[in-house]
Amino acid sequence: MSESVRKMLRAKLVVLGRDNCGKTALCVRFITRRFIGEYEHKREVTYRCQKIVDKEAIELEILDTVNKECVGPAVSSLESSIKWGDGFLIMYSVTDRSSFEAVSRLKRLIDHVKQTLGIPTVIVANKCDMENGRVVRTDEGQALALDLRCSFFELSVAEDASAVEAAFGQLVREVRQEFQRHLLAMDKRSRMLQMRHALKNKLTRSKTMQW
Ligand SMILES: Nc1nc2c(ncn2[C@@H]2O[C@H](COP(=O)(O)OP(=O)(O)OP(=O)(O)O)[C@@H](O)[C@H]2O)c(=O)[nH]1
């Protein structure tokens, strides 16, 4: 297969997290570079945009979810959003401990739905501009991300557009790496099948000659 065919041209990203942690603000900041304070947002929205990450273009679909619990009636809709996605950005607010506690539950659900570990996932701690209202320390976020084997960014969507870009950039990078790993595994499998087929043919031929 040629190099151009093997490049990942589009990716589907899902933004998850408790209500009010800043998911919509994050998506809008990434797409438009603007911070808009308030949103009427009680339904899921999929944004489409083209971005350059590491000098390569990629078409992104970004699903901005509404807060859903990992248990109860909302879980099946959450599961179908997870099935749809290639990469995940789990967000919490440093001013809301319950949003931090939801991160592990969401990660466990991703692993369960995808039935594999190592799914590209970035954890974003938002609202670090609100130092006075902080209830989750930076080192707690870092430790959780290390434990869950995810990349970690603490930022303020309100104040830092570049940090938002860096978090999404990292997620795209991880999704691309996963895509390459998947292609390699497929190549390996197809080479093994070819070898098995050739061996079977050889055996059949030698048996025919013996007779
Ligand atoms: N101070 C501060 N406020 C923020 C920041 N990011 C978002 N907000 C505010 O937090 C509130 C919630 O932001 P949203 O983007 O609507 O949060 P959401 O997670 O999409 O919320 P739901 O739609 O309820 O799921 C809004 O009032 C935002 O202006 C930030 O970095 N700093």
Side-chain angles (χ1 to χ4, degrees), residues 12 106 110 155 164 177 185:
K12 293 183 270 187
L106 286 164
I110 293 169
L155 51 80
V164 170
Q177 282 163 4

mmCIF file with all atom_site columns, all heavy atoms in Angstrom, residues 12 106 110 155 164 177 185:
data_model
loop_
_atom_site.group_PDB
_atom_site.id
_atom_site.type_symbol
_atom_site.label_atom_id
_atom_site.label_alt_id
_atom_site.label_comp_id
_atom_site.label_asym_id
_atom_site.label_entity_id
_atom_site.label_seq_id
_atom_site.pdbx_PDB_ins_code
_atom_site.Cartn_x
_atom_site.Cartn_y
_atom_site.Cartn_z
_atom_site.occupancy
_atom_site.B_iso_or_equiv
_atom_site.pdbx_formal_charge
_atom_site.auth_seq_id
_atom_site.auth_comp_id
_atom_site.auth_asym_id
_atom_site.auth_atom_id
_atom_site.pdbx_PDB_model_num
ATOM 1  N N   . LYS A 1 12  ? -12.419 10.752 14.502 1.00 0.00 ? 12  LYS A N   1
ATOM 2  C CA  . LYS A 1 12  ? -13.606 11.109 15.284 1.00 0.00 ? 12  LYS A CA  1
ATOM 3  C C   . LYS A 1 12  ? -13.225 11.211 16.760 1.00 0.00 ? 12  LYS A C   1
ATOM 4  O O   . LYS A 1 12  ? -12.756 10.232 17.346 1.00 0.00 ? 12  LYS A O   1
ATOM 5  C CB  . LYS A 1 12  ? -14.683 10.039 15.079 1.00 0.00 ? 12  LYS A CB  1
ATOM 6  C CG  . LYS A 1 12  ? -15.200 10.041 13.642 1.00 0.00 ? 12  LYS A CG  1
ATOM 7  C CD  . LYS A 1 12  ? -16.299 9.057  13.444 1.00 0.00 ? 12  LYS A CD  1
ATOM 8  C CE  . LYS A 1 12  ? -15.752 7.729  13.039 1.00 0.00 ? 12  LYS A CE  1
ATOM 9  N NZ  . LYS A 1 12  ? -16.710 6.727  12.663 1.00 0.00 ? 12  LYS A NZ  1
ATOM 10 N N   . LEU A 1 106 ? -15.503 7.225  33.619 1.00 0.00 ? 106 LEU A N   1
ATOM 11 C CA  . LEU A 1 106 ? -15.611 7.381  32.163 1.00 0.00 ? 106 LEU A CA  1
ATOM 12 C C   . LEU A 1 106 ? -14.514 6.582  31.455 1.00 0.00 ? 106 LEU A C   1
ATOM 13 O O   . LEU A 1 106 ? -14.763 5.922  30.444 1.00 0.00 ? 106 LEU A O   1
ATOM 14 C CB  . LEU A 1 106 ? -15.517 8.866  31.786 1.00 0.00 ? 106 LEU A CB  1
ATOM 15 C CG  . LEU A 1 106 ? -16.777 9.684  32.110 1.00 0.00 ? 106 LEU A CG  1
ATOM 16 C CD1 . LEU A 1 106 ? -16.509 11.172 32.087 1.00 0.00 ? 106 LEU A CD1 1
ATOM 17 C CD2 . LEU A 1 106 ? -17.905 9.341  31.124 1.00 0.00 ? 106 LEU A CD2 1
ATOM 18 N N   . ILE A 1 110 ? -14.897 3.514  28.740 1.00 0.00 ? 110 ILE A N   1
ATOM 19 C CA  . ILE A 1 110 ? -14.250 3.505  27.412 1.00 0.00 ? 110 ILE A CA  1
ATOM 20 C C   . ILE A 1 110 ? -13.534 2.164  27.209 1.00 0.00 ? 110 ILE A C   1
ATOM 21 O O   . ILE A 1 110 ? -13.705 1.498  26.181 1.00 0.00 ? 110 ILE A O   1
ATOM 22 C CB  . ILE A 1 110 ? -13.235 4.679  27.272 1.00 0.00 ? 110 ILE A CB  1
ATOM 23 C CG1 . ILE A 1 110 ? -13.954 6.023  27.278 1.00 0.00 ? 110 ILE A CG1 1
ATOM 24 C CG2 . ILE A 1 110 ? -12.399 4.536  25.994 1.00 0.00 ? 110 ILE A CG2 1
ATOM 25 C CD1 . ILE A 1 110 ? -13.050 7.232  27.418 1.00 0.00 ? 110 ILE A CD1 1
ATOM 26 N N   . LEU A 1 155 ? -5.317  23.357 32.225 1.00 0.00 ? 155 LEU A N   1
ATOM 27 C CA  . LEU A 1 155 ? -5.382  24.586 31.441 1.00 0.00 ? 155 LEU A CA  1
ATOM 28 C C   . LEU A 1 155 ? -6.606  25.411 31.798 1.00 0.00 ? 155 LEU A C   1
ATOM 29 O O   . LEU A 1 155 ? -7.452  24.986 32.593 1.00 0.00 ? 155 LEU A O   1
ATOM 30 C CB  . LEU A 1 155 ? -5.385  24.242 29.939 1.00 0.00 ? 155 LEU A CB  1
ATOM 31 C CG  . LEU A 1 155 ? -6.411  23.207 29.436 1.00 0.00 ? 155 LEU A CG  1
ATOM 32 C CD1 . LEU A 1 155 ? -7.785  23.813 29.256 1.00 0.00 ? 155 LEU A CD1 1
ATOM 33 C CD2 . LEU A 1 155 ? -5.950  22.609 28.123 1.00 0.00 ? 155 LEU A CD2 1
ATOM 34 N N   . VAL A 1 164 ? -5.241  24.678 24.680 1.00 0.00 ? 164 VAL A N   1
ATOM 35 C CA  . VAL A 1 164 ? -6.354  23.882 24.135 1.00 0.00 ? 164 VAL A CA  1
ATOM 36 C C   . VAL A 1 164 ? -5.880  23.194 22.855 1.00 0.00 ? 164 VAL A C   1
ATOM 37 O O   . VAL A 1 164 ? -6.118  22.001 22.637 1.00 0.00 ? 164 VAL A O   1
ATOM 38 C CB  . VAL A 1 164 ? -7.582  24.787 23.860 1.00 0.00 ? 164 VAL A CB  1
ATOM 39 C CG1 . VAL A 1 164 ? -8.646  24.047 23.079 1.00 0.00 ? 164 VAL A CG1 1
ATOM 40 C CG2 . VAL A 1 164 ? -8.144  25.327 25.182 1.00 0.00 ? 164 VAL A CG2 1
ATOM 41 N N   . GLN A 1 177 ? -1.127  7.344  15.939 1.00 0.00 ? 177 GLN A N   1
ATOM 42 C CA  . GLN A 1 177 ? -0.239  6.228  16.334 1.00 0.00 ? 177 GLN A CA  1
ATOM 43 C C   . GLN A 1 177 ? -1.020  4.926  16.424 1.00 0.00 ? 177 GLN A C   1
ATOM 44 O O   . GLN A 1 177 ? -0.572  3.879  15.988 1.00 0.00 ? 177 GLN A O   1
ATOM 45 C CB  . GLN A 1 177 ? 0.434   6.519  17.674 1.00 0.00 ? 177 GLN A CB  1
ATOM 46 C CG  . GLN A 1 177 ? 1.596   7.489  17.557 1.00 0.00 ? 177 GLN A CG  1
ATOM 47 C CD  . GLN A 1 177 ? 1.992   8.098  18.896 1.00 0.00 ? 177 GLN A CD  1
ATOM 48 O OE1 . GLN A 1 177 ? 1.444   7.743  19.943 1.00 0.00 ? 177 GLN A OE1 1
ATOM 49 N NE2 . GLN A 1 177 ? 2.942   9.021  18.872 1.00 0.00 ? 177 GLN A NE2 1
ATOM 50 N N   . ALA A 1 185 ? -0.628  -4.386 12.509 1.00 0.00 ? 185 ALA A N   1
ATOM 51 C CA  . ALA A 1 185 ? -1.200  -5.663 12.951 1.00 0.00 ? 185 ALA A CA  1
ATOM 52 C C   . ALA A 1 185 ? -1.937  -6.342 11.796 1.00 0.00 ? 185 ALA A C   1
ATOM 53 O O   . ALA A 1 185 ? -1.852  -7.562 11.625 1.00 0.00 ? 185 ALA A O   1
ATOM 54 C CB  . ALA A 1 185 ? -2.152  -5.420 14.120 1.00 0.00 ? 185 ALA A CB  1
#
